[in-house]
């Protein structure tokens, strides 16, 4: 579960919190993503068979700092980039089953797009889909394997994954 929240004690104005619950609804751990400006729009959450967690969201500003926390309190920071005009960052992140950060990636999308979806294929790939882009990742390493740009991909699910580009698998 991911909850948007603000923390007045932080230099970073906005947060998303990721909370893992057990089968009885008891919280197991919590971690967060902090960023300096708002707004950010949640996209999707997925969990693979091993319990690794994947989160994607849009960040509306082109230039900002993002801190991705582990459950041990350590964080990884990076800068979101944009072109300063009509594009905003789409962020893809992963944590292991214990809430330790694994990897992240960003790509740019037009500011009028609002949907981000994810699907896992059960064979080690993660697909992220916006309204005009489909990206395939190695779910373990976060390496982007390919990107296809085409209007009308959304939503993506395991049952309707489009074929890969002709020159890639």
């Amino acid at each position: 579960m991911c909850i948007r929240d603000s923390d007045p004690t932080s230099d970073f104005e906005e947060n998303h919190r990721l909370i893992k619950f057990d089968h009885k609804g008891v919280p197991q751990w919590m971690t967060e993503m902090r960023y300096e400006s708002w707004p950010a729009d949640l996209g999707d959450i997925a969990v693979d068979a091993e319990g690794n967690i994947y989160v994607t969201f849009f960040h509306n500003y082109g230039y900002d700092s993002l801190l991705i926390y582990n459950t041990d309190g350590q964080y990884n920071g990076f800068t979101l980039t944009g072109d300063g005009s009509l594009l905003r960052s789409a962020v893809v992140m992963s944590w292991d089953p214990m809430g330790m950060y694994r990897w992240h990636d960003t790509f740019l999308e037009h500011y009028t797009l609002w949907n981000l979806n994810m699907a896992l294929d059960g064979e080690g790939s993660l697909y992220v889909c916006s309204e005009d882009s489909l990206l395939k990742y190695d779910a373990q390493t976060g390496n982007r394997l390919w990107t296809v740009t085409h209007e009308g991909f959304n939503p993506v699910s395991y049952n309707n994954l489009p074929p890969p580009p002709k020159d890639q698998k």
Side-chain angles (χ1 to χ4, degrees), residues 48 52 54 94 102-103 120 124-126 137-143:
D48 66 19
N52 297 305
Y54 306 88
S94 180
R102 296 181 347 138
W103 57 264
L120 293 155
S125 297
L126 171 71
Y137 290 91
D138 179 311
Q140 295 303 310
T141 65
N143 289 332

Side-chain angles (χ1 to χ4, degrees), residues 31-32 67-77 95 99-101:
T31 188
E32 63 186 344
L67 304 178
I68 303 173
Y69 282 80
N70 294 309
T71 50
D72 66 1
Q74 299 296 314
Y75 65 86
N76 295 280
W95 288 264
M100 299 301 288
Y101 165 81

Side-chain angles (χ1 to χ4, degrees), residues 127 134 136 146-148 161-169:
Y127 297 84
L134 174 68
K136 181 179 180 180
W146 50 256
T147 302
V148 178
L161 293 173
K166 291 178 181 154
D167 61 339
Q168 301 175 15
K169 281 191 161 194

Side-chain angles (χ1 to χ4, degrees), residues 51-120:
N52 297 305
I53 300 154
Y54 306 88
V55 173
T56 187
F57 67 91
F58 279 123
H59 191 279
N60 288 340
Y61 288 101
Y63 299 96
D64 196 2
S65 295
L66 177 67
L67 304 178
I68 303 173
Y69 282 80
N70 294 309
T71 50
D72 66 1
Q74 299 296 314
Y75 65 86
N76 295 280
F78 66 95
T79 301
L80 300 170
T81 59
D83 72 350
S85 64
L86 300 177
L87 299 177
R88 62 181 177 159
S89 295
V91 183
V92 184
M93 298 169 285
S94 180
W95 288 264
D96 72 12
M98 301 306 296
M100 299 301 288
Y101 165 81
R102 296 181 347 138
W103 57 264
H104 79 272
D105 188 37
T106 64
F107 58 96
L108 296 175
E109 289 288 337
H110 194 270
Y111 79 97
T112 60
L113 301 179
W114 292 101
N115 294 312
L116 280 174
N117 294 312
M118 290 187 292
L120 293 155

Side-chain angles (χ1 to χ4, degrees), residues 138-156:
D138 179 311
Q140 295 303 310
T141 65
N143 289 332
R144 190 184 311 174
L145 303 175
W146 50 256
T147 302
V148 178
T149 302
H150 175 74
E151 292 186 28
F153 275 133
N154 206 30
V156 65

